[in-house]
Amino acid sequence: MYDILIIGCGPAGMTSAIYGARNGLKVGIIEKNAPGGAMVNTNIIENYPGYNSINGTDLSMKMFEQVTNLGIDFLGYEVLDVKKDKDVFNVITQKETFLSKTVILALGTIHKKLGVPNEGKFSGRGISWCAVCDGNFYKNKKVAVIGGGNSAFEEALYLTNICNTVYLIHRREEFRADQS
């Protein structure tokens, strides 16, 4: 029986686990992939306090080392379902069911993919999903933003202050972004 089970081992999940363990609680993290979440796929991180520049995988492993040093269980499973029975959560994976008093969902984000050749190869190495995070890598260069909604417009506008040229590529006749 866990006091806290955290589903997701990205930065938010690991931070939650650290706080729980430091408060004397029995904590486990369930994650189907490698610890670090989307950060694992980031080539260079230059906006994390304490590091001028660090590889995403390296930062993920440093965080994960702190988690494991605190005795937090890492359960490498995919969660199939969560059910509450009275005051206990049943977290069901493909291998076994774990019981916990509390469940924290730290599921992170999933970026929309275009499905173009070599997209995975260039993820974090020329293809990015966060202008605020990665915009300075493209300073004074030509860039393209794909999309026509609010997020695409916000990213493109942000990049106009950093990049020489910003192209906005959209598949429809009209944009979906708010008029403002």
Side-chain angles (χ1 to χ4, degrees), residues 2-178:
Y2 288 91
D3 293 307
I4 302 172
L5 267 178
I6 300 159
I7 302 173
C9 194
M14 288 192 272
T15 301
S16 299
I18 290 166
Y19 275 93
R22 290 187 61 196
N23 280 287
L25 301 173
K26 182 170 172 55
V27 179
I29 299 177
I30 301 178
E31 170 63 58
K32 67 180 177 179
N33 297 313
M39 183 170 52
V40 170
N41 300 318
T42 304
N43 189 34
I44 297 171
I45 296 172
E46 293 181 330
N47 61 348
Y48 189 81
Y51 297 96
N52 289 324
S53 179
I54 186 167
N55 177 281
T57 302
D58 293 341
L59 182 56
S60 297
M61 290 302 104
K62 287 183 180 295
M63 289 179 175
F64 187 63
E65 181 181 341
Q66 185 176 3
V67 164
T68 56
N69 286 344
L70 288 169
I72 296 162
D73 293 338
F74 178 77
L75 310 164
Y77 300 114
E78 179 178 4
V79 174
L80 303 176
D81 201 2
V82 178
K83 295 182 178 181
K84 190 170 184 183
D85 183 23
K86 296 181 183 166
D87 292 333
V88 176
F89 288 94
N90 294 279
V91 180
I92 302 159
T93 72
Q94 76 274 25
K95 296 272 183 171
E96 64 183 288
T97 297
F98 299 95
L99 305 177
S100 184
K101 297 174 188 172
T102 304
V103 172
I104 296 174
L105 301 177
L107 305 177
T109 60
I110 297 174
H111 302 292
K112 284 186 178 178
K113 306 281 171 110
L114 296 172
V116 297
N118 294 314
E119 185 172 16
K121 177 181 175 182
F122 292 107
S123 175
R125 292 168 180 82
I127 296 177
S128 174
W129 287 269
C130 178
V132 173
C133 305
D134 300 333
N136 281 322
F137 295 130
Y138 309 106
K139 189 173 188 167
N140 300 323
K141 295 184 178 180
K142 291 181 182 180
V143 299
V145 175
I146 312 297
N150 288 337
S151 296
F153 270 69
E154 288 170 11
E155 301 285 295
L157 286 171
Y158 177 83
L159 289 168
T160 61
N161 296 313
I162 299 169
C163 303
N164 282 344
T165 306
V166 178
Y167 295 99
L168 186 62
I169 301 171
H170 184 54
R171 66 180 172 191
R172 296 192 176 109
E173 293 280 328
E174 296 181 14
F175 296 114
R176 294 168 297 160
D178 294 337

